[in-house]
Amino acid sequence: MREMYAFEEGRGPADPAGGERREPIPRRPAPPPGPHPLDNPARSALTGPHAHFVERRGRILRYPVDVSPWLALPDHPEARDWADVAALAGPGGAVTLTAFREPPPRDWEVVFRAEGVQLVDAGVAARPDPEAVRLGPADVPEMLDLVARTRPGPFLARTIELGVYLGVRRGGKLVAMAGERLRPPGWSEISAVCTDESARGQGLGSRLVLAVAHGIRERGETPFLHAAASNTGAVRLYESLGFRLRRRTEFLSALAPATAAPADGARRPTPS
């Protein structure tokens, strides 16, 4: 195999054409790549663009409970990390994890576990939608009502603070929406894609996904999303829009032991 070389400016033996020759020196091999931001997306977001939300105990990070249920563990949690998770959750409290496959300790009760997929932009035809309107805090009651009827996934009273949310109204009623959730550096997750039963079959969900993706691209970031692996219809739809499978993942919800200590050690960063 040919050895690769880089050239370094400096004095060297004269070459036949006159002047000085630069001596080739071996190129150092590139360092191995680090973890991908999407391998642990909640942690990447909470140590990056969403750091202003973070609540911390030890090495455990989480969003405020009225913003998002996602909690971020280190890539390889230890017993003390699980003790901190339990303290944050409180006795018998629930925690929700994504992109996580290690089993929790034996004294935790797993109440929900599902296979998921992580899809990334691979040529999405992102574009704005003329019918889409940006939703704000005043729209949250209607958004919560739509989520309660359609169940697209967690959306809470302050989830709208995570990013841009777009909606479509018909007769003044909010009938479809989609928005942004986790924001690892360079990426933004599309989430809360839902359509009221009265407006299904009109392609509103697809249009809003493309419109949200357009806004993400305009910031110089790349759209991605998660879906339940069992929801094959939604996965096929996202693939038809230009998303491709990056990895299979897992969603997990578990209850802390009933003897968990209170979270008096949780803290938020001090504003600068």
Side-chain angles (χ1 to χ4, degrees):
M1 183 176 71
R2 291 183 60 190
E3 189 172 10
M4 297 180 64
Y5 291 92
F7 287 93
E8 181 179 66
E9 297 289 345
R11 296 180 62 85
D15 66 21
E20 295 179 337
R21 189 173 63 197
R22 295 178 293 177
E23 288 293 326
I25 57 174
R27 187 187 300 274
R28 293 180 180 177
H36 194 284
L38 298 189
D39 289 347
N40 192 341
R43 193 169 190 86
S44 297
L46 285 168
T47 55
H50 282 170
H52 58 288
F53 286 111
V54 75
E55 296 181 351
R56 179 192 306 268
R57 183 181 175 101
R59 299 198 300 166
I60 305 304
L61 311 178
R62 74 172 181 184
Y63 287 91
V65 294
D66 56 351
V67 173
S68 173
W70 299 126
L71 180 144
L73 277 75
D75 292 331
H76 303 290
E78 302 171 356
R80 61 188 175 93
D81 297 317
W82 282 106
D84 286 335
V85 176
L88 282 171
V95 299
T96 305
L97 305 170
T98 185
F100 185 78
R101 287 192 172 274
E102 295 189 29
R106 293 183 180 179
D107 53 351
W108 284 71
E109 179 187 354
V110 175
V111 293
F112 176 80
R113 186 191 297 270
E115 291 293 317
V117 292
Q118 187 183 79
L119 306 168
V120 296
D121 180 358
V124 173
R127 57 182 178 269
D129 189 278
E131 198 176 2
V133 296
R134 182 161 180 169
L135 302 173
D139 300 300
V140 167
E142 279 189 281
M143 298 168 78
L144 291 171
D145 183 61
L146 180 60
V147 166
R149 298 196 308 273
T150 57
R151 300 186 178 278
F155 184 90
L156 305 171
R158 293 177 55 206
T159 301
I160 196 170
E161 297 177 20
L162 295 177
V164 175
Y165 280 78
L166 302 178
V168 171
R169 293 184 177 279
R170 295 283 170 80
K173 176 185 176 183
L174 182 67
V175 296
M177 75 175 196
E180 302 169 2
R181 187 168 58 185
L182 300 178
R183 285 188 62 192
W187 299 81
S188 192
E189 180 194 24
I190 299 176
S191 181
V193 182
C194 55
T195 303
D196 184 75
E197 186 176 0
S198 66
R200 288 179 185 167
Q202 302 175 27
L204 296 183
S206 297
R207 287 165 47 188
L208 287 173
V209 167
L210 298 179
V212 174
H214 174 77
I216 293 170
R217 289 250 199 92
E218 288 289 291
R219 300 199 294 266
E221 298 176 352
T222 303
F224 77 105
L225 50 81
H226 290 103
S230 60
N231 193 351
T232 54
V235 174
R236 284 196 299 268
L237 173 63
Y238 294 139
E239 290 176 334
S240 73
L241 295 178
F243 290 90
R244 66 167 174 79
L245 177 68
R246 177 182 177 266
R247 68 192 293 243
R248 295 189 176 276
T249 183
E250 190 169 86
F251 306 114
L252 180 145
S253 181
L255 301 181
T259 56
D264 56 0
R267 63 177 177 85
R268 298 194 67 174
T270 302
S272 56

